[in-house]
Amino acid sequence: MSLIGNLCSSLCSNLEGDAKNRESQRTIDASIRLPLLSLFKAALGWMLVATVFGLITSIKLHTPGFIDECQYMTYGKVEPIFWNTLVYGWLFNAGLACSVFLLARLGGSALKHGLFLTISAAIWNVAVALGVIGIMMGDQLPYELLEFPSYVTPILFVSFLGMGVWCAMAFRSRVHRTSYVSQWWILTALFSFAWIYSGAQIMLVCSPAQGAFQTLVNAWYVENVFGLLIAPLAFASIYYLIPKTLGISIIGYRYTGIAFWSWILFASIAGAAKMVNGPIPVWVASIGVIATFGLLLPTTTFSIQFIVSMLSRFSKIWDSASARFVFVGALSFTAAMMFKIFGALRGSQEVVQFSVFDSGVNLLALFGFAGMVFAGASYFILPRLLNKELPSTTLVDLQFWAQVMGVILVSIGLISGGIHQGELMNGSTADMLAVVNTMRSSYFLTSIGLSFILVGTIAYNVNFFWMLLS
């Protein structure tokens, strides 16, 4: 086009294409509004429940007499309720909501049968509530992240299949036939969870394995809940949000395939590293250690793609609520993976294996990485879904800084406290009472951190429902 033509087109631009694009996006958003709002409501409700139970759990560690008169609130009940509501309540619902939005937008077509997805999600959350009640009544199972009673399992699995089938149909009905990396991660998470959840239930509940193999299966499942479910959903959101919020291409995008396949390979077997020095063949635990160390490859790739890309537009990060949360989530992911790799080494496990170190790393990964990313994604999705502005940027700032401070304090309290705890327990004159008394300060710091997270959670809920009802 000539110079004069360029000047004329810039002065008298044709906005018909933009208008059609905006109309198409509004149609897509309208088709998924009902299930997305249902998922976000459930996610924020469970986030509040999980944070409250997490705070109670932490307080009980340094003040054992806290709410000791209530038989439904003993430590053995509130601790599994905290972890299960955090994973299956808050993070699962939020991650699925972000995934549905990404599948619709990247697919380029309005999605059908939203009521089916809404009903499936409602059944899932009813099952989670039944699981919480079952734990309070004493029906819990003795497996980490599988404490829900056995009668809840079929409901959870069937409702998940309903949501998974809907998402697969949404991907199949896309207009844009080219697939995006966010879609890879979403489908990976859905298919992987169906596999690991059914496998763990069969080998631990339906037809229990014998002896120490149960512990190995449980360790494999717990690691894969993060590695093959929560983390992929967060990766999908990050890959979509960085270009959308900052207007840049992701640095090193051509290496995404290497990161994708190496993460799936190593994350799927890294759980065996927790069985070092356990009653299983040495080579099994060694494979887990090698796989955990192998996560350094995708972690490095992700860190370069996410952090370096966002640092190239650092001044714009603070202008966007979504970008701000995603940036902290990416930093938390890198830190959590470094601690996870360090904790899996045999020399390190001699110190931290039976301490609260792993709990600190897991909370950094779940609250600091996945929680921050999903919160940032929600601040991108909700204004477009409801066609409304955020009612209070002050509440967004309050949530952001409260959760950042909370994640930092919880991580310091449990990770550094876990290392110190392991060193004390390995001492030649280890006095368990002295160890417990020494850890009180770490547990108290964790309680302060969870109090900050609770403040951020309340601000998040107020902002959401204010926006919804305005």
Side-chain angles (χ1 to χ4, degrees), residues 319-383:
D319 297 333
S320 168
S322 299
R324 198 188 321 166
F325 279 88
V326 170
F327 180 66
V328 173
L331 292 176
S332 299
F333 167 75
T334 303
M337 293 309 301
M338 292 299 105
F339 282 122
K340 188 179 289 290
I341 293 170
F342 164 77
L345 301 177
R346 289 184 179 272
S348 303
Q349 291 218 31
E350 293 179 1
V351 177
V352 303
Q353 188 171 21
F354 299 107
S355 69
V356 295
F357 176 86
D358 281 344
S359 296
V361 175
N362 291 335
L363 287 179
L364 177 59
L366 296 177
F367 270 127
F369 167 47
M372 295 295 282
V373 170
F374 293 151
S378 70
Y379 283 127
F380 180 87
I381 295 171
L382 289 171

Side-chain angles (χ1 to χ4, degrees), residues 422-443:
E423 291 174 345
L424 291 176
M425 289 191 298
N426 287 342
S428 57
T429 58
D431 183 355
M432 292 309 298
L433 184 59
V435 173
V436 172
N437 291 329
T438 303
M439 288 298 296
R440 285 183 183 273
S441 58
S442 296
Y443 295 143

Side-chain angles (χ1 to χ4, degrees), residues 122-145:
I123 295 174
W124 170 276
N125 287 290
V126 169
V128 174
L130 289 176
V132 171
I133 295 173
I135 292 176
M136 286 185 171
M137 299 302 294
D139 294 336
Q140 69 191 76
L141 298 175
Y143 307 110
E144 186 179 356
L145 285 185

Side-chain angles (χ1 to χ4, degrees), residues 196-234:
I196 63 174
Y197 189 74
S198 59
Q201 288 290 341
I202 290 172
M203 290 186 284
L204 295 177
V205 181
C206 300
S207 181
Q210 299 299 313
F213 191 69
Q214 292 184 4
T215 308
L216 177 61
V217 172
N218 194 196
W220 166 81
Y221 174 78
V222 170
E223 190 67 26
N224 282 334
V225 165
F226 171 75
L228 296 182
L229 175 65
I230 302 299
L233 295 179

